[in-house]
Amino acid sequence: YIKVGRDEINFYIYRAPARTTSWEPEVVIQIDRWLALRTKVEQAWLSGAPPSGAAECGGDSTAYVACDGPYLVQVHDPGIAPPNLARVSEVAVGMLRVEQHVFIGQAELWVDDIRLSDVVDTPGYASAFDAHLTAADVVDVAASVTTKDARFQQLNENPSYSTDAGASFGTTLHVDKFLPLSWGLSIPVSVQYNHNTSDPYYLNQSDILAGALDGLRR
């Protein structure tokens, strides 16, 4: 198995049989399947469901447990120090004996290296549009639109993993231009409108997929 997490009660684990008829030393783990299970646990916790999953998957019966084949996630309390693949505290690799009365003449388990592959190379995009119109000295109109997707980053920054967009529109009408100049009035009327949205890819400071959570405020 390979176990990644925060402590002995909050972790991700992948298990594979320690036997083979050929020399196939590589074990490939798909992190997306761990993330899907972690999101499933979070959804159960947010819905008010009690800890469950240990009967089907194994693990601590007082924790939230979810599994998918050899993939398993255990979270003792999602509100307190849950496991986070962005902030891994412990990595362990080992072999678990599931039978105590099976004779094995000799067995060895070698771990050569652990590496991350399939680097994320999805590009991020940002855009900005700004316009200003002045109609003589009667009307001023300004508009701007900005967007920045979840993977956009500057060279010295990390992605925000949140798609942010904003739009603003403003206009000023000088009503006094339609009145006699002799009145000596200045009557500017201004209207300003702003609209902003934020659509997270992950929940803030976590590895939980926001798109899989029902009722998430965006």
Side-chain angles (χ1 to χ4, degrees):
Y1 67 85
I2 179 169
K3 182 179 177 183
V4 179
R6 183 176 295 274
D7 50 44
E8 69 277 4
I9 57 176
N10 296 281
F11 56 81
Y12 298 82
I13 192 169
Y14 176 88
R15 296 172 292 195
R19 59 179 181 270
T20 179
T21 58
S22 61
W23 178 245
E24 297 177 352
E26 187 174 56
V27 174
V28 179
I29 298 174
Q30 297 173 340
I31 292 180
D32 288 345
R33 294 177 68 177
W34 268 344
L35 295 179
L37 292 174
R38 175 68 182 92
T39 305
K40 182 179 178 181
V41 167
E42 189 74 9
Q43 185 68 68
W45 178 65
L46 291 175
S47 67
S52 62
E56 299 81 13
C57 304
D60 188 349
S61 61
T62 65
Y64 293 87
V65 183
C67 58
D68 177 14
Y71 296 83
L72 183 145
V73 175
Q74 176 178 296
V75 184
H76 190 267
D77 187 343
I80 302 176
N84 188 344
L85 291 177
R87 292 175 175 82
V88 173
S89 301
E90 299 178 356
V91 177
V93 179
M95 183 168 62
L96 176 67
R97 292 195 61 177
V98 296
E99 294 290 344
Q100 297 294 328
H101 305 290
V102 176
F103 176 77
I104 300 177
Q106 183 176 358
E108 294 182 354
L109 175 65
W110 289 52
V111 179
D112 184 46
D113 67 337
I114 300 174
R115 63 187 184 274
L116 294 176
S117 60
D118 295 333
V119 177
V120 175
D121 57 0
T122 304
Y125 298 95
S127 62
F129 170 81
D130 186 77
H132 188 90
L133 172 66
T134 300
D137 55 353
V138 178
V139 178
D140 293 322
V141 178
S144 66
V145 177
T146 60
T147 61
K148 183 179 69 173
D149 71 12
R151 298 189 184 277
F152 178 79
Q153 66 182 104
Q154 299 288 354
L155 291 178
N156 60 340
E157 298 177 349
N158 292 322
S160 65
Y161 294 110
S162 177
T163 299
D164 300 317
S168 65
F169 174 81
T171 181
T172 300
L173 173 65
H174 296 274
V175 178
D176 52 277
K177 299 301 180 181
F178 300 97
L179 302 175
L181 184 61
S182 60
W183 288 11
L185 298 175
S186 177
I187 312 176
V189 178
S190 298
V191 176
Q192 185 77 28
Y193 172 78
N194 294 284
H195 181 77
N196 296 282
T197 62
S198 180
D199 185 13
Y201 186 79
Y202 295 111
L203 290 191
N204 189 34
Q205 304 297 319
S206 79
D207 57 358
I208 301 169
L209 299 173
L213 296 179
D214 298 331
L216 180 66
R217 182 180 179 185
R218 301 180 183 278

